[in-house]
Each structure stands twice: as structure tokens, then as C-alpha cells.
Amino acid sequence: MNGRPGALLRAVAARLCGADVVERVIDSALADFHVEADAATQEGRPWRRRWLRATLSIALTQAIVVCAWDRLRSEHADPAADEARAVLTAVIATTSALAVFVVLPLAALTPLDWRLVPLVVPQAVPVALPIGVTFGVLAGREAATSARFRRTFSAIALACSAVSFVVFAWIVPEANQMFRELAFERFAQPPIQDGVTVHRRRPLQRGTNELTIGMLRQRMRAESQRRDRPIAAFSYHQRWALPAANLFLTAFTLTVIARWRPGRIGGAAIALSTCIAYWLLIEGGRQYGLAGTWPIAAAAWLPNLFFAGTAVAIAVSATRDRQTRPRSG
Amino acid sequence: MSPPRHPPSLSAKERLILELLARGDELYGLQMVAASKRRLKRGTIYVTLGRMERKGYVRSRLEEAPPQAGGLPRRLYTLTATGRRLLTAWDHVARHLIPEPAR
């Protein structure tokens, strides 16, 4: 084909679209062109030959674009991964809405002050993301063995961890502080001096939940000199541990579905139990850590360590099973 | 081949190709472009034929390679039984769905 019209585009098509497209689409077009072009040469019509050559280039380029797009779409079509992503999004949205309107202190404020809503949303994010990731991975159980699915969800988990860390380390403390100041303004009676109401804005002192990660580090160092409950230290380590939950829970759920392939209801039950177990471990770690029974960092990372250990144990057991299973044939 | 997950669909171009092939001849891509009076284009006819072959509406065979050095054999297309049934069903549906002009 070298030196013949269309040779370069044929090579491009072979690279982008595959051999089947070259055989059925590109070669068909080239064969028809060659017959027409040879006829034009025999009839002594060089301009028609040039025109045919130009239309061939346009036709082949158009065919390559369409076929490459078709190939891209068919390679990325993955209903199980689509379902997983849909579940992940739905669970994150539902959990955030529940957290904002039912669980968090907003529920206690009636009538609802809508200025407070955006200040509560950041608190919901670090909780909603790992729950969404856990349910999402288990919803995509049919694609569990696919390397692409694992890569996709690992990337999603990494992105969720990064977002969660930024939100938890800096945005949540500032939003909490603003929430407290707005709520305080609402309930506090302004003092009256000489018969005139005085609106005096005094900054509220920040609690542990209102300290950014840098402020927490400073307070943690100050606390280390004292022997009382190391709340700031626990909170500091938890600011790192909770965002990392996205990665640990993804690794755990991917191992679970690769090992047992649960059904739809089984998958949902595992996801729910995982989230509850994680929450119980957070609470357990907090109690043991603040009581001084366990090192603070280990107590804050307890849920992640537990799920990492369990994932490793499941993976080792699966490998042993594969090795000891008698080979058929 | 696994059974199709969706009912067969037919675009305007695919229907035109089926109508041209339903006349009974084996046709090349360019012959169809010429016979369609410019309704089919050189740039898309081969892609459309490739898709129709994958769906089982048409089948193709290569004619013998021409004697010129480096010449490629042309691909000839014919209608399959599936394509013929689809065209018949489509015509039937179209006749019953398109309203008759008011008298």
C-alpha cells in the first residue's frame, strides 16, 4: 500500500480503530476509490482523479473519527461501573441531606435559618463520602474482577480522601465557628446600656471542633505538657484518619466482593454493617484513646487499621484457597 | 452470537441501504452512493455498512482481487434474511403510522 493514496490514513485507522475496521471500512473505501481512479486515468481525466483523491481523504478521515469514537464508547461501556457510580452519587447526596437536616444541630433550630444551611454542609461531607464509596463499590460487585473497575474506584477513593481532608482540616472548623457565631447572635439578648441596645460582636472562643489542623497541632503541643484528656491530639489524628477512611474502606470492600461476590441485598447489608462497624470503632477508639489506655494515634486510626487488617486477612485466605483448590483437568 | 438486548432499530440511511439491496443485486459501497442520488455520502456509507453487518442486516464478500499491483478487492454487499424481515416490518409499521392525506 505504500505510495498509494490513502496509505497514511489506513495506517492511522489501523492504530486508532483496529484491524476489523481497516478490513471492513477503510479497505472497502480504498478498493472502490482505486477502481474509480483507474477509470479516470484511462479516460484521460486527471482532474477527476485529483477530485476523487481529495474526497477519499475526507471520507477516510470521517470514517476514522466515527469508528474511533465507536471503539472508545464500546471499550468504556461498563454497566456495573455505571451502577456503582450512580449508587455512590445517590448515597453521598442522601447521606449529606440526612446529616444536614436531621442529625446535625440544624434540626434543633426552628424556625430554620437558611443562612445556617451552607455552614452545616461541610460537616456532612467527610461522613457522606466514605459511606458513598462503600455502598458504591459493593453496588458494582459484578465488575469486581475487572482491573479497570478497581483502578476507577481507587482513583475515586483517592479523590474523595483529598476532598475530605481539605474540608475536614480547614473548611469544617471555619464553618463551625461561623455557625456558632450566627446561632449565638440569634439566641443572645443584646445588652442594654443607658436604655440603648448595644450590638457588640465579640468573637466566640473556638472549641476543638472549630480549630483548623494547624491550630490543633499547636494546641496538641501545649496539651502534651499537661496530663489531662488529650482531646486536641485525638482530634488532630482523626483529621487525618477520617479522610483516609475512603481508601481503607474501598480496599476492604474490593477485597470482600472479589472473595465472596455477594448479591444485591448481601452487598447492601455488608455496606451497612461496614459503616456501622466503622462508627463503633471510632467511638471505641475515642474512649480508649482519651482514657489513656491506648496511644492517641493508634486510637484515632483504629477503624482504618481494623479494616486494613481484615482486608489483608481476606486476601491471604483467598490466595490460599486458590492454591489449595485442586485444578480441574 | 448473543441475542440482541434491544429491539432492532433502523436509521434513515440504513433503511435506504436495505431498500437498495432489496432489489436483489450485490452492490459496492460507491454503487449505493450513486444509486441513492446523493442521499448517501462517501464519508459515511462504509461506516454504516460496517455497523449493519455487525447487526446482521447485511452480509459482505470480497470479489477477486483486481490484476493491478497493490489493488484491493472490492467488497460486495447483499441483504440477509434478518435485514429483509426488518425492512418488511418497517414498511408495515410506516404504512400504519403515517396518516393518510385529508380528502
Side-chain angles (χ1 to χ4, degrees), chain A residues 16-322:
Chain A
L16 293 180
C17 311
D20 187 54
V21 167
V22 170
E23 188 192 327
R24 297 196 174 272
V25 177
I26 306 298
D27 283 355
S28 302
L30 282 172
D32 282 354
F33 162 78
H34 289 155
V35 173
E36 273 196 313
D38 288 346
T41 308
Q42 282 169 12
E43 289 164 12
R45 299 165 68 189
W47 283 104
R48 176 163 170 77
R49 192 182 165 86
R50 285 182 196 119
W51 180 81
L52 284 172
R53 193 170 179 152
T55 56
L56 173 78
S57 300
I58 296 168
L60 290 187
T61 307
Q62 208 172 346
I64 289 169
V65 169
V66 172
C67 292
W69 176 244
D70 275 0
R71 190 183 185 191
L72 198 69
R73 274 198 322 177
S74 67
E75 279 181 358
H76 285 82
D78 189 347
D82 289 346
E83 188 183 343
R85 279 190 285 268
V87 168
L88 179 141
T89 312
V91 170
I92 288 174
T94 312
T95 315
S96 301
L98 278 174
V100 168
F101 290 104
V102 180
V103 181
L104 295 175
L106 208 58
L109 298 174
T110 48
L112 181 64
D113 184 347
W114 286 97
R115 287 180 306 163
L116 298 175
V117 175
L119 300 177
V120 180
V121 171
Q123 283 191 55
V125 171
V127 178
L129 290 183
I131 295 176
V133 166
T134 307
F135 275 88
V137 173
L138 282 155
R141 64 209 172 278
E142 284 171 22
T145 50
S146 136
R148 202 175 71 199
F149 180 82
R150 288 199 296 269
R151 275 201 306 273
T152 304
F153 259 85
S154 302
I156 289 174
L158 194 62
C160 286
S161 283
V163 169
S164 197
F165 177 71
V166 170
V167 169
F168 208 25
W170 293 285
I171 298 174
V172 167
E174 296 299 341
N176 279 357
Q177 182 66 8
M178 287 166 78
F179 181 94
R180 290 168 81 223
E181 286 175 0
L182 277 173
F184 181 76
E185 262 180 27
R186 190 172 154 179
F187 291 114
Q189 294 294 323
I192 298 171
Q193 284 180 0
D194 304 330
V196 179
T197 305
V198 180
H199 290 279
R200 193 186 298 157
R201 290 198 63 159
R202 278 182 304 175
L204 286 174
Q205 196 179 358
R206 288 175 182 247
T208 314
N209 292 336
E210 286 73 52
L211 296 176
T212 61
I213 199 155
M215 296 170 182
L216 265 179
R217 197 184 302 116
Q218 286 174 359
R219 187 171 287 188
M220 185 175 74
R221 284 179 185 148
E223 263 183 4
S224 65
Q225 311 297 324
R226 303 200 306 261
R227 293 272 178 193
D228 56 357
R229 284 153 56 93
I231 295 171
F234 184 82
S235 191
Y236 174 79
H237 288 295
Q238 205 174 37
R239 297 278 170 94
W240 293 93
L242 205 54
N246 293 287
L247 291 169
F248 285 94
L249 289 177
T250 301
F252 170 73
T253 43
L254 282 173
T255 319
V256 167
I257 49 176
R259 177 81 171 89
W260 286 294
R261 306 285 174 81
R264 190 178 292 270
I265 294 172
I270 291 171
L272 189 63
S273 326
T274 303
C275 294
I276 292 171
Y278 196 94
W279 176 70
L280 290 173
L281 287 166
I282 288 176
E283 289 304 313
R286 186 197 305 275
Q287 283 191 10
Y288 284 109
L290 295 183
T293 315
W294 287 350
I296 287 293
W301 282 82
L302 173 69
N304 291 340
L305 295 173
F306 172 80
F307 281 104
T310 313
V312 170
I314 293 169
V316 168
S317 132
T319 311
R320 274 192 197 145
D321 272 9
R322 272 198 301 274

Side-chain angles (χ1 to χ4, degrees), chain B residues 18-35:
Chain B
L18 289 184
E19 282 172 354
L20 291 171
L21 292 174
R23 294 171 191 168
D25 300 326
E26 280 188 311
L27 294 175
Y28 306 119
L30 276 187
Q31 280 179 313
M32 288 183 234
V33 172

Side-chain angles (χ1 to χ4, degrees), chain B residues 11-96:
Chain B
S11 69
K13 273 183 194 166
E14 288 176 336
R15 187 182 167 189
L16 183 55
I17 290 171
L18 289 184
E19 282 172 354
L20 291 171
L21 292 174
R23 294 171 191 168
D25 300 326
E26 280 188 311
L27 294 175
Y28 306 119
L30 276 187
Q31 280 179 313
M32 288 183 234
V33 172
S36 72
K37 295 174 184 155
R38 292 176 182 263
R39 282 193 287 165
L40 295 170
K41 308 287 180 209
R42 285 164 181 262
T44 51
I45 179 83
Y46 301 101
V47 177
T48 310
L49 283 166
R51 283 180 184 160
M52 290 174 75
E53 198 170 4
R54 275 202 300 276
K55 291 182 198 170
Y57 301 167
V58 298
R59 82 167 69 86
S60 69
R61 71 173 180 89
L62 292 174
E63 69 170 8
E64 286 186 15
Q68 302 96 312
L72 286 164
R74 299 176 93 178
R75 192 170 283 278
L76 289 156
Y77 291 89
T78 46
L79 205 57
T80 60
T82 307
R84 193 172 294 281
R85 277 203 305 276
L86 187 62
L87 184 62
T88 310
W90 216 258
D91 284 343
H92 181 75
V93 170
R95 265 201 307 277
H96 285 82

